[in-house]
Amino acid sequence: MLNQNFPKLVTLVFSFPHYLLISLLFFFTTTVGATEPSGDSNLLELDFVTSRKQGENLPKTSKAEQYLKELIAEAKEKHLAEETHWYRLLRFKKTRWGFLESEVDNKRYFFSKEGKYNPEKELIATLYSFFTEETIPEGLLHPQCSYPERYHWLKEKLNFDINRLPEVRCERFEVWKKSLDPDSLSVIFASYYMQTPASMFGHTLIKLNNKVNENAELLDYGVNYAANPGEMNVFSYVYNGLIGGYSGNFSIFPYYLKVNEYNDLESRDIWEYKLNLKPEEKERFLRHLWEMRRADFDYYFINENCSYHLVEILEVAMPELNISNQLGWMVTPSDTIKKYLAEEGLVLSRKYRPSLYSKIKYKINEMSEEERNTYFEMIRLEKTFFPDPKENFRISLVADAVLDTFRYRDSTNNITPSKKHKDYYDKLLVFRSKQNDEYTTKETFPLSTPPEESHPLSRVASSFGVSSLGNFVELRYRIVYHDLLNVSRGHAPNSELAFFDTTIRDYENKKSELTSMSVIKLTSISPYNSISKDFSYMVDTGIQTAVYRKNDETLRKQVGNFDFRFGYSFSNEFGKTPMSFGVLSVLAGVKAQNGRMFENDVRYGVNFSLLYQKEWGVWKIFTGATAQNYQLSQNFNTYYATIKVRYAFSNRHELRVEVNGERFYEETLISYHYLF
């Protein structure tokens, strides 16, 4: 019964909506960061109800009521509700229909019931609230204290008379501000994490640099914007992440927690960009950050994400900054870093913080051959020993590298170390503490490249080719992001992440065809070695062209496609000239396609791939062969082989030559790629 129904089941699963969902599941099933607790629901509801009353109730005295009317009249006369800063405080944007709407999605942020759509009514309601004299419920704050930046800005614009509008002391806000007390701000970029596909874009946050912690910056605080998925299953996670179904908000945390998560647990290099803010801009940043405690946003992975909202909060702090309007419909962390650097005088300095894995590589690169051999013997744990003192042998260097390696393994394997491992680690710590020899490593030379060196996201390409079915011209378009042949600077090497990579061809004397469309194409090639034992994997889902024979005629037909492969990759990562041999990958997996030309309208089976790639300077070569066995679905087996060469004139311009072959079909093409 199972064998009879299996082809129908596969056809159902890999019909377009279903295999798209499966690929999205694979791509987005990862946590996106922690947020502050949402708080007591009863208190939040009380806050909402109280805020609405404060935005509507008239002052108790006629004198105060008269002053409120004067302030409203002056605000209207000066058109304050139309000023850019007020729009930014309320996060107002024009919709595609031309209407104003705030990006803040919780009602508690507004005093007016129409505040999300009407900046003037929210400004008037805000002025009403500042006159509040009623007792504030326990746990809540006076509006002047809940919105210190709104109050400060309106006070400057309208020159508040504190004799007619008494100023409230905001002790909780002042204590909070004093506890942070940043001397400066830095934008932090955490590089791409290959083993969590959703982190391949990287991540940005803000660090509050406190002068007291100048020599211990890990004690500083960080400001993060992230989604709050709560309890969820993978299906709801994908769906809600794409349509904005999760709530995103700001949180503050000790910076060392993120360094531990990114640098150590995920081995992501960190780049820090110190910003040039004036004292009043830092004050404005803190005032508005405090206001953001009350704001929730619908979180979208591809645009209204961590980087987008950090840009907006910095624009409030620095009114002359205008970056958000320069961003496209898709916002990535690397793009926002480029925008910061493009602003003259905004970025004062850049600092590189290598990951734990990078630190291990630095140490290995510094070792002599004897030191390196001893290091690899020690980390194998086949026999536990401590190196004997020798001339020109740096025991401290080797011991530190071994200790770092054990830490790296423990953090990435998610398993409890064996007793033998733990005992050896503890004894090695004691042994290391007794060593007096010194060494230095050249950690100033980054093992990865900064995000601003990455190529633009979108790409268009034109090609001309010859094939066993005739000559053809081709047009390709990719919305985002990066493929295996693109220049790897600013990206994770040997990685691929592409959305809607679409190819249209026109063969001689034939109709134009949609040759392929990869809805999501994802590749992570991570060399396997004695330190890092990560898998390599490839995922491709969308539409492909299948070549088949019918009545001795070779035909091409577009079919739904799902391809998943995983395995191991190998390289001389720790040789004298690291990665000089390129990367060899051995992968196996499954492939399924649906089309009427197949037996039972579907073919599926296992595949095996051998791939090789190497990049040197402006050149890169990629070659591989894949055998596909479709006997399980009673279809013919096939194969695919390719060799591709890329020459990059710059980050924007590439020339590629490809030779591709499969059963019943061969082709050669040359293409020009423009990235923008």
Side-chain angles (χ1 to χ4, degrees):
M1 187 70 176
L2 177 61
N3 291 336
Q4 293 174 353
N5 292 332
F6 190 70
K8 296 180 181 179
L9 176 63
V10 174
T11 303
L12 176 65
V13 170
F14 290 103
S15 60
F16 183 81
H18 293 82
Y19 66 73
L20 172 58
L21 181 59
I22 291 171
S23 62
L24 291 174
L25 289 177
F26 182 85
F27 180 74
F28 287 110
T29 48
T30 175
T31 56
V32 290
T35 56
E36 292 179 332
S38 58
D40 181 78
S41 58
N42 293 328
L43 184 62
L44 296 182
E45 180 63 24
L46 176 63
D47 190 15
F48 165 66
V49 173
T50 303
S51 296
R52 284 293 161 84
K53 290 179 180 179
Q54 292 167 341
E56 297 172 351
N57 292 344
L58 286 169
K60 290 184 177 181
T61 67
S62 57
K63 289 184 178 180
E65 183 179 343
Q66 177 59 34
Y67 188 45
L68 172 61
K69 291 179 180 179
E70 292 175 17
L71 291 177
I72 293 173
E74 186 179 354
K76 287 183 176 181
E77 184 182 351
K78 292 182 175 180
H79 301 284
L80 295 186
E82 299 173 18
E83 290 208 10
T84 299
H85 193 66
W86 183 249
Y87 277 18
R88 288 178 174 179
L89 288 177
L90 276 295
R91 297 296 197 275
F92 273 108
K93 298 288 184 180
K94 278 194 176 181
T95 67
R96 67 183 65 181
W97 314 112
F99 301 114
L100 284 172
E101 182 178 349
S102 173
E103 293 170 337
V104 179
D105 293 299
N106 63 315
K107 297 178 181 179
R108 195 166 64 98
Y109 192 69
F110 305 98
F111 289 108
S112 169
K113 62 182 178 181
E114 299 179 52
K116 182 174 172 65
Y117 306 98
N118 192 314
E120 184 175 273
K121 287 189 176 181
E122 181 61 21
L123 189 147
I124 292 171
T126 300
L127 288 173
Y128 266 77
S129 73
F130 289 162
F131 283 85
T132 296
E133 296 182 44
E134 287 82 1
T135 302
I136 304 299
E138 186 177 355
L140 304 184
L141 297 173
H142 191 280
Q144 293 183 21
C145 301
S146 293
Y147 293 96
E149 177 53 24
R150 288 196 202 184
Y151 178 78
H152 185 272
W153 183 72
L154 288 169
K155 179 183 177 181
E156 280 189 339
K157 291 292 183 178
L158 299 174
N159 193 24
F160 288 165
D161 183 348
I162 60 174
N163 294 317
R164 303 175 71 186
L165 172 56
E167 192 162 275
V168 178
R169 290 188 60 191
C170 303
E171 294 182 1
R172 280 171 56 183
F173 169 65
E174 292 299 331
V175 170
W176 174 86
K177 187 172 71 168
K178 188 175 181 180
S179 67
L180 298 178
D181 192 27
D183 178 63
S184 61
L185 305 181
S186 294
V187 173
I188 307 299
F189 176 86
S191 64
Y192 318 91
Y193 181 43
M194 297 300 299
Q195 297 305 307
T196 302
S199 296
M200 289 183 73
F201 288 109
H203 181 68
T204 53
L205 54 104
I206 290 176
K207 185 163 80 75
L208 310 178
N209 305 315
N210 193 311
K211 201 166 187 178
V212 176
N213 302 327
E214 193 169 3
N215 298 318
E217 59 177 325
L218 292 181
L219 300 178
D220 287 331
Y221 284 98
V223 177
N224 193 48
Y225 175 83
N228 184 20
E231 294 184 7
M232 48 80 183
N233 58 59
V234 292
F235 291 96
S236 65
Y237 188 77
V238 171
Y239 180 74
N240 289 311
L242 292 175
I243 68 167
Y246 289 128
S247 174
N249 46 36
F250 285 90
S251 60
I252 301 175
F253 51 85
Y255 182 55
Y256 69 82
L257 292 178
K258 283 298 178 185
V259 170
N260 180 65
E261 177 185 348
Y262 294 146
N263 255 178
D264 297 349
L265 299 182
E266 297 180 352
S267 288
R268 299 164 71 174
D269 290 344
I270 290 176
W271 299 85
E272 302 180 6
Y273 299 83
K274 189 174 182 180
L275 303 182
N276 182 18
L277 272 73
K278 302 171 185 175
E280 62 268 24
E281 292 171 339
K282 286 178 285 186
E283 290 291 318
R284 195 178 296 120
F285 174 86
L286 291 176
R287 289 195 296 265
H288 188 53
L289 179 61
W290 176 264
E291 295 176 344
M292 286 288 97
R293 299 177 314 125
R294 303 172 60 86
D296 292 333
F297 303 83
D298 291 341
Y299 190 100
Y300 294 88
F301 290 125
I302 61 175
N303 44 32
E304 293 184 34
N305 50 32
C306 62
S307 298
Y308 177 81
H309 284 287
L310 291 187
V311 166
E312 290 204 322
I313 198 171
L314 287 172
E315 286 182 336
V316 170
M318 295 175 280
E320 295 180 1
L321 204 61
N322 186 24
I323 292 178
S324 60
N325 290 334
Q326 304 172 29
L327 300 173
W329 72 273
M330 184 165 185
V331 181
T332 63
S334 59
D335 259 6
T336 57
I337 294 297
K338 293 177 184 178
K339 297 296 183 186
Y340 295 138
L341 290 167
E343 295 289 327
E344 186 176 357
L346 177 59
V347 177
L348 292 174
S349 62
R350 185 185 71 190
K351 179 181 178 181
Y352 171 65
R353 181 183 292 276
S355 67
L356 179 58
Y357 187 69
S358 293
K359 289 180 178 179
I360 296 170
K361 292 175 69 174
Y362 278 123
K363 291 181 175 68
I364 293 174
N365 290 340
E366 287 293 322
M367 292 180 186
S368 65
E369 185 174 354
E370 184 180 13
E371 291 167 343
R372 188 173 300 195
N373 291 337
T374 302
Y375 161 79
F376 283 111
E377 285 181 21
M378 293 175 71
I379 66 171
R380 289 190 189 103
L381 278 177
E382 294 172 354
K383 57 175 183 176
T384 58
F385 69 95
F386 305 113
D388 296 324
K390 299 177 186 177
E391 188 176 353
N392 297 324
F393 187 95
R394 292 163 293 184
I395 293 179
S396 296
L397 173 62
V398 175
D400 285 344
V402 173
L403 290 168
D404 286 347
T405 302
F406 288 161
R407 283 177 53 215
Y408 173 80
R409 287 175 173 175
D410 292 346
S411 63
T412 55
N413 291 339
N414 293 320
I415 57 175
T416 303
S418 65
K419 186 177 184 304
K420 178 181 178 181
H421 179 168
K422 190 175 184 309
D423 289 346
Y424 183 38
Y425 181 85
D426 292 342
K427 291 177 182 177
L428 187 58
L429 279 173
V430 175
F431 173 79
R432 170 63 181 92
S433 67
K434 299 177 180 178
Q435 308 307 313
N436 297 319
D437 59 313
E438 297 180 356
Y439 68 91
T440 57
T441 56
K442 300 174 183 177
E443 294 186 2
T444 54
F445 179 79
L447 293 175
S448 63
T449 48
E452 63 267 24
E453 294 187 17
S454 62
H455 59 72
L457 300 181
S458 299
R459 181 212 57 197
V460 63
S462 60
S463 310
F464 171 78
V466 296
S467 75
S468 55
L469 294 179
N471 298 338
F472 63 88
V473 292
E474 178 181 279
L475 180 66
R476 298 183 66 179
Y477 174 70
R478 181 186 72 211
I479 295 177
V480 287
Y481 179 62
H482 177 76
D483 66 39
L484 285 172
L485 281 180
N486 283 139
V487 176
S488 62
R489 288 195 307 272
H491 292 272
N494 308 312
S495 68
E496 183 170 42
L497 175 58
F499 286 91
F500 293 96
D501 191 352
T502 304
T503 303
I504 297 174
R505 280 190 180 181
D506 191 353
Y507 282 86
E508 292 179 301
N509 303 319
K510 294 182 181 180
K511 293 181 179 179
S512 299
E513 65 172 38
L514 175 63
T515 302
S516 65
M517 182 178 70
S518 292
V519 178
I520 290 179
K521 189 184 294 183
L522 173 63
T523 302
S524 171
I525 302 299
S526 302
Y528 179 92
N529 53 59
S530 55
I531 301 172
S532 174
K533 304 182 186 301
D534 290 333
F535 278 108
S536 294
Y537 56 84
M538 305 180 75
V539 178
D540 188 4
T541 181
I543 297 171
Q544 272 192 356
T545 295
V547 180
Y548 63 101
R549 299 278 287 181
K550 183 178 181 180
N551 299 327
D552 295 327
E553 183 182 5
T554 300
L555 301 173
R556 294 166 57 85
K557 186 72 174 178
Q558 284 67 54
V559 297
N561 176 72
F562 175 77
D563 188 357
F564 171 64
R565 284 170 272 173
F566 70 99
Y568 290 107
S569 300
F570 306 93
S571 181
N572 62 328
E573 192 171 4
F574 302 115
K576 292 183 178 179
T577 54
M579 309 299 284
S580 59
F581 295 160
V583 182
L584 179 68
S585 303
V586 181
L587 308 175
V590 294
K591 187 180 181 77
Q593 297 179 328
N594 67 304
R596 292 182 180 179
M597 76 288 296
F598 302 136
E599 191 73 24
N600 297 314
D601 296 337
V602 66
R603 68 177 179 180
Y604 52 86
V606 298
N607 57 30
F608 176 83
S609 298
L610 188 65
L611 309 174
Y612 173 79
Q613 54 189 308
K614 175 174 171 54
E615 183 175 21
W616 64 101
V618 297
W619 294 93
K620 182 166 186 177
I621 183 171
F622 175 88
T623 184
T626 300
Q628 297 166 340
N629 187 305
Y630 293 124
Q631 289 181 348
L632 185 63
S633 60
Q634 302 175 12
N635 285 276
F636 288 111
N637 297 334
T638 187
Y639 63 86
Y640 178 80
T642 183
I643 180 169
K644 303 177 182 180
V645 178
R646 177 219 75 206
Y647 178 82
F649 298 97
S650 67
N651 263 11
R652 290 183 177 270
H653 304 277
E654 296 179 357
L655 189 66
R656 301 183 183 184
V657 177
E658 302 179 28
V659 179
N660 305 310
E662 60 182 297
R663 190 172 187 178
F664 310 129
Y665 180 78
E666 300 85 31
E667 67 179 22
T668 301
L669 66 151
I670 183 170
S671 58
Y672 163 73
H673 295 245
Y674 174 70
L675 295 100
F676 60 97

